[in-house]
Amino acid sequence: MTIYLNGKFVPEAEATVSVFDHGLLYGDGVFEGIRTYNGRVFLLQEHIARLYRSAQAIGLTMPMTPEEMRRIVLATCKANDCRNGYIRLVVTRGVGNLGLNPYQCPKPGVIVIAANIQLYPAEFYEKGLRIITVGTVRNHPEAVNPNIKSLNYLNNIMAKIEAINGGVQEAVMLNHIGYVCEATGDNIFAVNGSTLTTPPAWCGCLIGITRDTVMKLAAENGFTVRESVMTRYDLYNADEVFLTGTAAEVVPVVEIDKRTIGGGVPGAATRKLMQLFHAFAARPESGDEIQ
Ligand code: PMP
């Protein structure tokens, strides 16, 4: 594998970072996870725009323009023939000293990895996920805003540990006042009849690019889509629940905290949205061509 690292393409074995990089020392940096489908980078512009918004929020000056970044991502995909894969785009604060001060890190580190995708087991999509709500509260928006896709994922990892220890695949995180936020690496939706509900950003979730895509496709296909505060009660009593994310795409949920959702099988609306999403990802306009 060839990795883009700070202006150069290097073999994987040489793609190493300093132990003084604040990305490593403090989780100080931002990232994106992006899919490629059929030789196209899915919604690349949207991912780059979100990366720059994350960087802006943490006061990190990007060392290149969005257009230069777009070209680097495409070139990395080309170098690795990454036509149906997964891209990890990482921007670290860079090398500094052992103190916290980010102003002592003169140059951000930029890494682009274009790898194979680790697909979720087919069983998740056919049978649906069992998930639980967990005690780890999602980061307060005025602490580390969940809209910042930062390199510090400990909040999410703590919740993931609770889910795994609880014998299920995924966790639903609540915010500091008990409202539903999102899963550890995916957004969450409830379906009631032909209405889709998902928490608004201010409740404490990442504005997922898959979330936005599903909302758009649903609205175009006769669903009513709303962003609204949700409690656990709303999840337990939904007709259907599903998660969305770059790696997972659209994945059904059939049990939450031992409450069976939608008869314990993936529902018709979720299956319809899975199909609409796949059809959209196959369309040429959904991504930038790798050439
Ligand atoms: N929430 C969190 C915390 C995530 O890490 C992700 C994955 N990037 C998502 C939601 C889903 O976002 P997207 O659809 O842009 O992948």
Side-chain angles (χ1 to χ4, degrees):
M1 205 190 298
T2 302
I3 314 286
Y4 175 89
L5 177 65
N6 298 328
K8 291 195 201 108
F9 287 100
V10 296
E12 189 178 331
E14 290 166 31
T16 55
V17 296
S18 164
V19 295
F20 291 99
D21 192 307
H22 280 207
L24 172 71
L25 288 174
Y26 298 117
D28 185 354
V30 293
F31 79 103
E32 284 294 320
I34 316 173
R35 281 287 277 270
T36 60
Y37 293 104
N38 307 316
R40 289 194 165 77
V41 183
F42 187 65
L43 297 176
L44 177 57
Q45 316 261 13
E46 284 77 358
H47 280 283
I48 288 180
R50 184 170 69 183
L51 180 78
Y52 278 67
R53 290 197 303 271
S54 294
Q56 167 75 5
I58 70 163
L60 188 158
T61 306
M62 293 289 291
M64 70 247 318
T65 65
E67 177 56 21
E68 282 163 347
M69 183 62 95
R70 192 180 77 84
R71 286 172 197 276
I72 290 166
V73 171
L74 290 170
T76 312
C77 289
K78 189 168 183 203
N80 290 282
D81 197 25
C82 177
R83 298 180 57 80
N84 284 288
Y86 182 82
I87 303 161
R88 180 53 60 91
L89 176 45
V90 181
V91 183
T92 74
R93 187 74 67 175
V95 175
N97 55 34
L98 291 179
L100 279 180
N101 187 352
Y103 300 111
Q104 298 291 330
C105 306
K107 214 167 114 252
V110 180
I111 301 163
V112 186
I113 308 166
N116 291 327
I117 172 93
Q118 302 279 317
L119 288 177
Y120 286 24
E123 196 193 332
F124 284 17
Y125 299 92
E126 287 154 16
K127 297 199 177 143
L129 294 181
R130 289 182 302 118
I131 66 179
I132 56 173
T133 53
V134 295
T136 303
V137 167
R138 189 76 178 103
N139 282 334
H140 190 290
E142 292 306 330
V144 180
N145 194 305
N147 268 314
I148 302 169
K149 203 161 164 51
S150 92
L151 288 185
N152 195 320
Y153 254 53
L154 265 182
N155 182 223
N156 315 55
I157 291 165
M158 302 282 276
K160 188 82 178 181
I161 289 171
E162 288 191 72
I164 295 165
N165 291 350
V168 298
Q169 298 105 340
E170 195 40 87
V172 181
M173 303 183 76
L174 309 176
N175 69 11
H176 58 288
I177 34 179
Y179 296 148
V180 173
C181 297
E182 59 181 339
T184 64
D186 296 303
N187 291 109
I188 190 161
F189 285 79
V191 184
N192 287 92
S194 60
T195 301
L196 252 58
T197 310
T198 195
W202 66 261
C203 273
C205 66
L206 181 75
I207 296 298
I209 286 167
T210 320
R211 173 187 182 275
D212 281 354
T213 305
V214 165
M215 287 167 80
K216 192 165 137 278
L217 293 172
E220 285 168 7
N221 285 274
F223 290 92
T224 302
V225 182
R226 54 184 205 136
E227 290 178 282
S228 171
V229 165
M230 291 166 79
T231 61
R232 287 186 298 168
Y233 176 91
D234 300 315
L235 292 180
Y236 298 157
N237 284 291
D239 295 339
E240 302 176 29
V241 171
F242 62 86
L243 308 180
T244 63
T246 291
E249 303 175 326
V250 178
V251 57
V253 172
V254 294
E255 186 191 287
I256 306 178
D257 297 337
K258 292 277 185 225
R259 277 75 160 180
T260 302
I261 311 296
V265 289
T270 305
R271 284 186 281 115
K272 172 81 183 161
L273 291 163
M274 288 163 76
Q275 181 207 325
L276 287 170
F277 184 82
H278 287 147
F280 177 70
R283 289 219 295 262
E285 65 270 26
S286 70
D288 291 16
E289 197 172 355
I290 301 162
Q291 52 183 0

